[in-house]
C-alpha cells in the first residue's frame, strides 16, 4: 500500500486536537521517531550500490567485466575481474552497513527514552518514538523535552516554568515560559487534562527558533499563542517540579530537527582526486590501445598475410581494420591492471585499520566517564590530516558550563592571588589548598579560592569587604528554597549569578529568602532583613543591575553591579584613585580570561528617593514611551556611585583547551568560534582560550543592522588591514564575479600582523547575502581568528558552507549540542563532543570525542598519520601497477600486436591479490615517519597535509614515470640478455615461458625491495608480510610448474618443470640482479641526495629521533601566562532582562504571604502586562534608547 499512497502535500498550517489521535492521524503528521541513519532494510541495496558506482573505478570495472564476457576480444577469463569486483563491493557494503547499524543503535537510544503520556485518562510510560501529535505529556524537573509542546500547566504559580535552551542556542541562562491562564487552571488534575479537547491552529513546521504563531480554540473562545507559550524539543526543564504540555510538532517536524540539516554523503579530497586520476588513466589506456590497434592493423596488412595460410584463414575472412578494432578492446582488457580493483579493497582495509587505531587509543580515553574516542565512519580518516579551518561551538565544547568565583578586587586590594615568599605571583595549581569556611553552617562547599586573606579581612570587620559581600547577597534574581534534607538550594537564572551568590554564601553572607518586598540575608550568622524598595533590572543596553533597599537602621542604599565600561561613568569624582587601581586589576583579570563585573553602591536620601519613586510609578503607568521614561529615571538615580571593587568569575574551560588551541594554531589551523551566546561572553571565552589575544593588532567588531552598514563596516576593516589605497577596498559593485570569491592566497600573505573578527548574528544574516559575502569572506580569511556570536544553528551551517564553497579548504566542525548538528553535517569532518547537552551532536557526527583536548591528538597524530600512510600507499600502488602492466605494451611490438600476455594468466590474477597485497597493506596501516609524541611536539609537521604535498597530480606523474622506467628495465634487460643465448647445459633457454618466469621473478623482487625502501617504521608484521610474500611467490610458482599439479589440472598447468629449470640457471639470477640494481639504484641515489641536501622537517626529526631517543624537546607550544598590556574589559554576564520585574511582582512565589501593602508591589501587581514585558524582552536588544535621557529632579 505504501507504494500507491498519495504523496503528502506540504503543510500550509497545522491543525492539532488534544487527546484525539484518530483526528490527528488524518493529517499524516510525522511521529516522534528520529532518523540520523542513511539506510533501512529496503533501501540499503539500491542506495549503497548507487553510491558505490559513483566511484568511477567501480563503473570502469563493471564495463571491463562486460568486455571480458565477449570471447572474440578477451584473452583473460571473466573471473579475473568479477571476483575482485564483487569482493570490493561486498566489503564496502558490509562496512557501510556496520556504520549505519551503529547510527541505528544510537537513534534507538534516543527513541527509546521514556516519557509519561496521558493515554485513556491515565499517565503511562511511553517511548519517545511512540509519542504522537496531540498527546499530552508530563515533564519533570531536569528532564529533556521530548517534542515541541504547548505548555498547559506547571507546578509554579501562574503556569510559569523555566527551561534551559543550551542545546538550541548555546545559552546557559534560564528562559521563562508561561501557560495560558485558561489552561494553567488544569494544574495536575489528570481527569481535567484528559477532558481537555482544545484545538490548535498554528504555523507549519519550520526552523525559526525564536518565532511561533498560533491560536488555541477551547470552550468557545480563542487564545493567541506566541513563542513564550511553547517549549521546544532539546530544552531541559529546570527549577520546575513538573509541567504538562500538548505535542504540536514531533520528530523531524520539531524546530530542533528542522535545524539539523540533511545527512550528506561525504567523500575525501583523495577520493575525488582518485576519481580524476582513474579517468586520466583510462584515457591513457585508450591511447595505448589505439597505438597498439594501429600497430596491429599495419602488421596485419604488411606481415600478417604470410601467416594466414599457416593459420588456415581465408583472405576475405578478416580485414586488417577489423583486426585492429578487436585488438583495441583486447588490449583495453589486458592493460586494465593499471588501476586494479584491489586498489579499492586495500584502501577500505587501510581506512578500517586507521579507524580502529582511533577507537583503541588509550590517550584519547576519558576515564571520568569511561568514554573512548569513536570513529563513527571509516571513510574520512586521511582528511583529518588536511584540516585548515575548525568551526567550534563554545558552550560545552570549549567550556564546561561551570562558573567559579576566582578573584575579586575590594577597595584597591586583590583577593585570590597566590604570592610566594618574595611577594611574586605564583601559578595557581590544583594541588594548592582551597579556602575552607569554618563555623558557617550555611557554607555550601569548599570554595575554589586561592588565598586566606579575604577571610582575615572579614574576621577583622573591614567595612568595605562586608559591604562588597552584602551587595553580592542582595543584588541578584536568585530564588532560594529548602530541599527535603533542609539544605538551602538556590534556583539561579544564570550561572554567573549563581557563582556570585554562592561566593557570598561561602564567605558568611548567606542569602536566605525573599518576598516581593523583602530580602533576608544571614550576615556572619546573624539574620538581617532588608526592605526591597526598587529593582532596576538588567538589560543588554544598560549592562548593569541595581537594587534599592532599606536596612534595619533605616538607611536607603542602592547597590549596583555591571560592566566596568558603563559603571565607571556613573562614579562620584572622589573615586578617581580607586578607579585607576581597580581598572588595573580588571585589566589583569581580563588578561587571564576571567569574566568581570564592577561593584558600586550609593547612599540615598529618604526624601529624594520618595520623589524618585513617585516619578517611577507615573512612568510605569504611562501608556506611551514607558520604557524610555523608566530608563531615564534609572539613569538619574544610578549616578554618583561609590566604587567598592570588582568580581572575577571563571567560566571554566574544558581541560587542555588552551594548549590544544595553541598547538592547532602552530599547525596553521584557523579556529572560528560559532556560538549562540551573547557577544561579551563569546569574546571573553575567545580571550580565555587564546583564540583571541591581547597581542593582536586589532579586533574588528561588526554590529551593523542593515546590509549597507555591514558592508561599510567590513570594507572599513579591510582598509585598516591593507591601507586606504589598496585594490581590496576599491569599488562598491554589487555583482562581484564568482572569481573574486576565490581568494588569492597572496592577499593573505600580504597582511602583516594578527587580526580577529567578531560579528553578531543579525549582522551575519546580512553578511551572508550574495552581494556581501565576498567582503565577509575576504576579511574573515585574512584574520587569525573569527568569533560569530548570537548565531542560529542554520547560520552556523551557512558559515561552514561559505568557506567550503569558496576557499577549497578542508573544514572541521565540532560541537556538543543539537544546535551544532547542521554545522557538523555541513563540514567535511563533523565531530561530536559527548557532553552534557544530550546525544544529538554525537549521533550526527563522523567522530565522537569526550573532550575538546583530544582533538589535538586526533588531528596531529591520527589524522596526520592517516594522510601520510594513505599517500605513501597510493604512490607505491600506482608505481607498482604501471611497472607490472606496461611490460605488455613493450611486448606487443615483439608479438605482432596479437594481444598475447607476457606473463601467464595465473600470475596476472595473483599479482595484486596475493604477491603484493599484504606488504603494501602493512605499510598503509602501520607506517609512520615520526613518533606520536614528536607529531604533537612539532605541529608544523601537519602543514604538508594542508598543502596536499604528499599526493597530488604532480606526485602521481612522478610515480607514473617511475613505473614506466621500471617496466622498461623489466622487459628490455631480459630481452637483450636472452637474445641468442644458450643455457649452461647448452640448451636454448629463450623460450616464452622461461622469459615470462624471469620477468615475473624480477618484478616481484623489485617491488619488494622498493617497498622495503619506502617503509619508515619497521614492525614484525612488515618483515613477515614483505619477505613472506616473496617466499609465497616462489612456492606457488614451483607448485604450478610441478608434476603433481599437472596430473590434477593438465589443461591449466602444462609447463611442467619450467620454473625449476629457469631458476636453476645462474644466468637467470644475474639478469634478475641486474634488473633490481637498475630499477632501485636511481631511487636510492635520489633520496640520499634529497635527504642530505634538502631535508624536510620530518627528515630532520627522524634523524634526531635516531640520535637522541631518550631526550624529549621542550614544548614550545606551551602558552605563557598572559598579562594584558592594554586596557580591555572582561565584562560578561549571562542574564536576561525581566527577572527583576518578575521577582518584585511576586508572581513566581508560592502564595503564603499576606496581600501586598507596599507601593512598589501594588504598582507591579496591578500591572497586567508584567509577564508580557518579561516575555518580549530578549537578551539582544536591537533597538535601544539613549543613555543621555535622564530626568532631573
Amino acid at each position: 500500500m505504501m507504494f500507491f499512497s498519495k504523496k503528502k502535500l506540504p503543510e500550509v498550517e497545522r491543525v492539532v486536537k488534544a487527546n484525539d489521535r484518530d483526528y490527528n492521524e488524518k493529517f499524516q503528521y510525522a511521529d516522534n521517531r528520529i532518523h540520523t541513519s542513511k539506510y533501512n532494510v529496503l533501501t540499503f541495496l539500491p542506495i549503497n550500490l548507487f553510491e558505490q558506482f559513483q566511484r568511477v573505478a567501480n563503473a570502469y570495472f563493471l564495463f571491463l567485466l562486460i568486455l571480458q564476457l565477449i570471447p572474440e576480444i578477451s584473452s583473460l577469463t571473466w573471473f579475473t575481474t568479477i571476483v575482485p569486483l564483487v569482493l570490493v563491493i561486498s566489503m564496502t557494503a558490509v562496512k557501510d552497513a556496520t556504520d549505519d547499524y551503529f547510527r541505528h543503535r544510537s537513534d534507538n537510544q534516543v527513541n527509546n527514552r521514556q516519557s509519561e503520556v496521558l493515554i485513556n485518562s491515565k499517565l503511562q510510560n511511553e517511548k519517545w518514538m511512540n509519542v504522537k501529535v496531540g498527546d499530552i505529556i508530563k515533564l519533570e524537573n531536569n528532564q529533556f523535552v521530548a517534542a515541541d509542546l504547548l505548555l498547559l500547566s506547571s507546578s509554579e504559580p501562574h503556569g510559569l516554568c523555566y527551561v534551559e535552551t543550551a542545546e538550541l542556542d548555546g545559552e546557559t541562562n534560564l528562559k521563562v515560559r508561561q501557560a495560558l491562564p485558561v489552561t494553567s487552571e488544569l494544574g495536575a488534575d489528570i481527569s481535567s487534562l484528559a477532558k481537555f479537547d482544545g484545538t490548535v491552529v498554528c504555523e507549519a513546521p519550520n526552523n525559526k527558533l525564536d518565532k511561533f504563531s498560533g491560536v488555541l480554540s477551547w470552550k468557545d473562545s480563542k487564545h493567541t499563542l506566541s513563542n513564550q507559550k511553547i517549549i521546544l524539543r532539546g530544552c531541559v526543564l529546570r527549577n520546575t517540579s513538573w509541567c504538562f504540555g500538548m505535542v504540536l510538532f514531533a520528530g523531524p517536524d520539531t524546530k530542533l530537527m528542522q535545524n539539523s540539516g540533511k545527512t550528506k554523503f561525504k567523500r575525501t579530497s583523495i577520493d575525488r582526486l582518485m576519481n580524476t586520476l582513474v579517468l586520466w588513466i583510462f584515457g591513457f589506456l585508450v591511447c595505448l590501445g589505439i597505438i597498439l590497434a594501429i600497430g596491429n592493423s599495419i602488421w596485419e596488412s604488411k606481415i600478417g598475410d604470410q601467416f594466414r595460410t599457416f593459420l588456415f584463414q581465408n583472405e576475405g575472412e578478416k580485414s586488417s581494420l577489423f583486426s585492429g578494432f578487436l585488438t583495441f578492446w583486447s588490449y583495453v582488457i589486458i592493460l586494465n591492471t593499471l588501476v586494479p580493483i584491489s586498489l579499492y579493497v586495500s584502501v577500505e582495509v587501510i581506512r578500517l585499520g586507521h579507524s580502529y587505531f582511533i577507537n583503541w587509543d588509550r590517550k584519547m580515553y576519558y576515564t571520568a566517564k569511561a568514554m573512548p574516542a569513536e570513529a563513527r565512519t571509516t571513510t574520512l580518516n586521511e582528511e583529518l590530516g588536511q584540516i585548515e579551518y575548525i568551526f567550534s561551538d563554545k558552550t560545552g565544547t570549549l567550556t564546561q558550563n561551570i562558573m567559579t568565583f576566582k578573584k575579586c578586587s575590594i577597595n584597591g586590594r586583590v583577593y585570590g592571588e597566590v604570592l610566594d615568599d618574595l611577594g611574586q605571583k605564583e601559578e595557581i595549581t590544583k594541588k594548592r589548598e582551597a579556602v575552607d569556611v569554618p563555623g558557617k553552617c550555611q557554607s555550601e562547599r569548599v570554595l575554589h579560592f586561592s588565598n586566606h586573606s579575604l577571610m582575615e579581612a572579614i574576621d577583622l570587620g573591614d567595612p568595605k569587604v562586608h559591604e562588597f559581600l552584602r551587595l553580592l547577597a542582595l543584588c541578584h534574581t536568585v530564588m532560594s528554597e529548602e530541599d527535603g534534607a533542609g539544605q538551602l538550594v538556590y534556583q539561579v537564572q544564570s550561572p554567573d549569578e549563581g557563582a556570585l551568590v554562592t561566593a557570598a554564601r561561602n564567605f558568611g553572607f548567606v542569602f536566605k529568602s525573599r518576598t516581593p518586598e523583602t530580602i533576608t540575608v544571614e550576615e556572619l550568622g546573624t539574620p538581617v532583613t532588608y526592605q526591597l524598595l526598587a529593582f532596576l533590572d538588567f538589560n543588554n543596553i544598560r549592562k548593569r543591575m541595581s537594587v534599592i533597599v532599606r536596612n534595619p537602621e533605616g538607611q536607603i542604599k542602592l547597590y549596583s553591579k555591571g560592566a566596568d565600561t558603563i559603571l565607571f561613568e556613573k562614579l562620584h569624582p572622589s573615586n578617581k584613585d580607586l578607579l585607576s587601581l581597580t581598572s588595573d586589576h580588571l585589566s589583569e583579570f581580563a588578561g587571564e580570561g576571567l569574566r568581570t563585573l564592577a561593584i558600586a553602591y550609593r547612599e540615598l536620601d529618604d526624601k529624594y528617593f520618595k520623589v524618585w519613586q513617585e516619578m517611577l510609578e507615573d512612568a510605569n503607568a504611562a501608556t506611551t514611551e514607558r520604557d524610555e521614561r523608566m530608563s531615564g529615571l534609572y539613569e538619574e538615580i544610578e549616578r554618583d556611585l561609590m566604587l567598592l571593587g570588582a568580581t572575577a568569575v571563571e567560566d571554566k574551560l574544558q581541560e587542555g583547551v588552551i594548549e590544544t588551541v595553541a598547538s592547532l594554531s602552530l599547525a596553521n589551523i584557523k579556529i572560528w568560534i560559532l556560538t549562540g551566546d551573547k557577544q561579551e561572553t563569546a569574546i571573553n571565552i575567545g580571550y580565555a582560550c587564546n583564540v583571541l589575544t591581547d597581542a593582536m593588532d586589532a579586533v574588528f567588531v561588526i554590529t551593523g543592522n542593515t546590509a549597507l552598514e555591514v558592508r561599510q563596516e567590513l570594507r572599513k576593516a579591510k582598509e585598516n588591514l591593507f591601507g586606504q589605497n589598496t585594490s581590496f577596498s576599491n569599488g562598491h559593485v554589487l555583482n562581484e564575479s564568482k572569481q573574486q570569491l576565490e581568494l588569492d592566497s597572496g592577499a593573505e600573505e600580504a597582511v602583516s600582523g594578527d587580526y580577529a573578527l567578531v560579528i553578531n548574528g543579525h549582522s551575519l544574516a546580512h553578511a551572508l547575502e550574495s552581494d556581501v559575502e565576498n567582503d565577509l569572506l575576504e576579511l574573515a580569511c585574512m584574520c587569525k581568528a573569527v568569533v560569530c556570536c548570537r548565531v542560529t544553528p542554520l547560520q552556523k551551517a551557512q558559515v561552514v558552507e561559505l568557506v567550503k564553497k569558496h576557499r577549497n579548504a578542508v573544514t572541521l566542525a565540532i560541537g556538543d549540542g543539537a544546535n551544532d548538528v547542521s554545522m557538523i553535517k555541513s563540514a567535511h569532518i563533523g565531530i561530536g563532543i559527548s557532553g552534557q547537552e544530550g546525544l544529538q551532536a554525537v549521533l550526527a557526527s563522523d567522530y565522537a570525542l569526550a573532550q575538546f583536548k583530544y582533538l589535538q591528538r586526533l588531528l596531529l597524530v591520527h589524522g596526520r598519520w592517516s594522510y601520510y600512510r594513505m599517500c605513501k600507499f597510493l604512490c607505491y600502488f600506482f608505481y607498482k601497477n604501471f611497472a607490472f602492466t606496461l611490460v605488455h605494451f613493450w611486448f606487443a611490438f615483439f608479438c605482432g600486436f596479437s594481444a598475447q600476455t607476457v606473463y601467464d594468466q595465473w600470475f596476472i590474477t595473483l599479482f595484486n591479490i596475493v604477491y603484493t597485497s599484504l606488504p603494501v597493506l602493512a605499510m598503509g596501516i602501520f607506517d609512520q615517519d615520526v613518533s606520536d609524541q614528536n607529531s604533537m611536539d612539532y605541529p608544523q609537521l601537519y602543514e604538508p597535509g594542508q598543502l596536499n604535498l604528499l599526493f597530488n597530480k604532480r606526485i602521481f606523474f612522478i610515480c607514473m614515470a617511475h613505473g614506466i622506467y621500471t617496466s622498461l628495465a623489466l622487459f628490455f634487460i631480459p630481452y637483450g640478455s636472452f637474445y641468442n643465448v644458450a643455457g649452461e647445459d647448452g640448451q636454448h633457454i629463450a623460450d616464452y615461458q622461461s622469459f615470462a618466469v624471469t620477468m615475473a621473478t624480477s618484478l616481484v623482487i623489485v617491488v619488494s625491495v622498493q617497498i622495503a625502501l619506502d617503509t619508515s617504521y619497521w614492525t614484525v608484521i612488515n618483515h613477515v608480510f614483505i619477505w613472506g610474500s616473496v617466499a609465497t611467490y616462489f612456492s606457488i610458482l614451483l607448485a604450478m610448474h610441478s608434476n603433481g599439479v599437472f596430473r590434477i589440472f593438465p589443461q591449466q598447468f602444462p609447463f611442467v618443470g619450467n620454473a625449476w629449470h629457469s631458476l636453476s640457471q645462474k644466468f637467470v639470477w644475474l639478469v634478475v640482479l641486474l634488473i633490481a640494481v637498475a630499477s632501485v639504484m636511481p631511487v636510492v641515489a635520489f633520496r640520499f641526495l634529497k635527504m642530505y641536501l634538502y631535508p624536510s622537517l620530518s627528515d630532520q626529526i627522524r634523524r634526531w629521533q635516531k640520535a637522541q631517543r631518550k631526550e624529549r624537546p621542550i614544548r614550545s607550544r606551551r602558552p605563557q601566562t598572559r598579562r594584558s598590556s592594554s586596557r580591555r574589559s572582561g565584562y560578561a554576564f549571562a542574564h536576561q532582562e525581566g527577572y527583576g520585574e518578575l521577582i518584585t511582582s511576586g508572581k513566581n512565589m508560592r502564595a503564603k504571604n499576606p496581600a501586598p501593602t507596599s507601593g512598589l508591589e501594588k504598582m507591579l501587581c496591578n500591572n497586567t502586562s508584567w509577564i508580557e514585558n518579561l516575555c518580549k524582552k530578549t537578551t539582544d536588544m536591537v533597538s535601544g534608547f539613549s543613555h543621555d535621557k535622564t530626568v532631573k529632579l
Side-chain angles (χ1 to χ4, degrees), residues 68 71 73-81 84 333-334 336-337 884 888 899-915 992-993 996-997 1000 1033 1036-1037 1040-1041 1051-1055:
Q68 284 183 283
I73 62 174
S74 179
S75 56
L76 292 174
T77 53
W78 57 270
F79 66 82
T80 59
T81 298
I333 294 172
I334 290 172
N336 81 82
T337 49
F884 165 60
H888 294 295
Q900 172 69 45
T901 58
V902 72
Y903 312 111
D904 71 74
Q905 190 167 292
W906 287 103
F907 180 80
I908 294 173
T909 305
L910 298 175
F911 177 73
N912 280 306
I913 297 176
V914 178
Y915 300 152
Y992 164 75
Q993 197 62 28
V997 167
Y1033 163 73
I1036 293 176
L1037 178 66
M1040 285 194 304
H1041 291 146
Q1051 297 296 324
Q1052 285 78 17
F1053 304 100
F1055 301 101

Side-chain angles (χ1 to χ4, degrees), residues 915-954:
Y915 300 152
T916 59
S917 59
L918 293 180
V920 74
L921 279 179
M923 183 179 72
I925 294 175
F926 299 108
D927 202 38
Q928 53 183 262
D929 54 345
V930 298
S931 66
D932 59 339
Q933 188 59 56
N934 282 327
S935 294
M936 300 273 281
D937 289 337
Y938 297 97
Q940 297 85 351
L941 287 167
Y942 193 78
E943 189 174 2
Q946 295 170 322
L947 300 177
N948 220 10
L949 297 180
L950 299 186
F951 187 74
N952 50 44
K953 293 169 184 175
R954 174 179 166 273

Side-chain angles (χ1 to χ4, degrees), residues 34-39 44 48 51 93-111 263-266 374-380 824-825 830 839-847:
I34 64 163
H35 303 275
T36 61
S37 53
K38 290 164 57 177
Y39 316 108
F44 173 75
N48 189 259
E51 288 178 349
V94 169
K95 178 187 67 64
D96 291 342
T98 304
D99 289 346
D100 211 55
Y101 165 75
F102 287 114
R103 292 192 189 97
H104 275 286
R105 194 172 70 175
S106 299
D107 287 345
N108 290 335
Q109 288 179 358
V110 176
N111 291 329
T263 301
K264 298 179 180 179
F265 177 55
K266 295 183 179 181
E374 180 187 3
R376 291 171 49 81
T377 181
T378 59
T379 58
L380 304 172
I824 285 171
K825 288 182 176 179
L839 292 172
Q840 292 292 332
V842 171
L843 295 181
S845 67
D846 304 307
Y847 299 88

Side-chain angles (χ1 to χ4, degrees), residues 872-1113:
K872 287 191 73 172
F873 163 80
L874 291 173
C875 289
Y876 174 78
F877 213 97
F878 282 121
Y879 151 76
K880 168 175 71 79
N881 284 286
F882 270 92
F884 165 60
T885 306
L886 289 182
V887 172
H888 294 295
F889 180 76
W890 312 124
F891 183 61
F893 290 91
F894 299 89
C895 70
F897 306 97
S898 60
Q900 172 69 45
T901 58
V902 72
Y903 312 111
D904 71 74
Q905 190 167 292
W906 287 103
F907 180 80
I908 294 173
T909 305
L910 298 175
F911 177 73
N912 280 306
I913 297 176
V914 178
Y915 300 152
T916 59
S917 59
L918 293 180
V920 74
L921 279 179
M923 183 179 72
I925 294 175
F926 299 108
D927 202 38
Q928 53 183 262
D929 54 345
V930 298
S931 66
D932 59 339
Q933 188 59 56
N934 282 327
S935 294
M936 300 273 281
D937 289 337
Y938 297 97
Q940 297 85 351
L941 287 167
Y942 193 78
E943 189 174 2
Q946 295 170 322
L947 300 177
N948 220 10
L949 297 180
L950 299 186
F951 187 74
N952 50 44
K953 293 169 184 175
R954 174 179 166 273
I955 298 293
F956 168 74
F957 283 119
I958 291 173
C959 297
M960 182 177 170
H962 186 196
I964 293 172
Y965 167 76
T966 303
S967 71
L968 286 167
L970 281 168
F971 180 78
F972 286 102
I973 290 177
Y975 180 81
S977 302
F978 276 49
Y979 193 74
N980 289 332
V981 172
E984 295 174 9
D985 54 1
Q987 296 181 5
H988 190 69
I989 63 169
D991 59 278
Y992 164 75
Q993 197 62 28
S994 298
F995 183 66
V997 167
T998 303
M999 273 201 298
T1001 304
S1002 302
L1003 176 63
V1004 170
I1005 290 175
V1006 166
V1007 296
S1008 298
V1009 172
Q1010 184 63 48
I1011 200 169
L1013 291 173
D1014 287 345
T1015 301
S1016 302
Y1017 182 75
W1018 285 90
T1019 65
V1020 174
I1021 296 174
N1022 292 87
H1023 283 289
V1024 170
F1025 281 3
I1026 292 175
W1027 314 125
S1029 294
V1030 175
T1032 301
Y1033 163 73
F1034 285 110
S1035 301
I1036 293 176
L1037 178 66
L1038 294 173
M1040 285 194 304
H1041 291 146
S1042 67
N1043 195 39
V1045 173
F1046 169 74
R1047 288 175 180 173
I1048 301 171
F1049 306 104
Q1051 297 296 324
Q1052 285 78 17
F1053 304 100
F1055 301 101
V1056 181
N1058 179 271
W1060 183 260
H1061 177 263
S1062 298
L1063 296 179
S1064 63
Q1065 303 282 336
K1066 296 177 183 175
F1067 172 80
V1068 170
W1069 286 107
L1070 286 172
V1071 171
V1072 171
L1073 179 62
L1074 181 59
I1075 293 172
V1077 171
S1079 301
V1080 172
M1081 283 308 294
V1083 178
V1084 173
F1086 174 77
R1087 291 185 181 178
F1088 176 82
L1089 292 173
K1090 183 177 178 293
M1091 185 177 295
Y1092 280 88
L1093 296 178
Y1094 306 102
S1096 64
L1097 180 60
S1098 62
D1099 291 334
Q1100 297 172 32
I1101 295 173
R1102 196 157 56 240
R1103 195 184 307 166
W1104 175 87
Q1105 275 183 180
K1106 292 177 182 177
Q1108 299 180 356
R1109 293 214 175 256
K1110 294 183 179 180
E1111 294 183 11
R1112 292 291 180 216

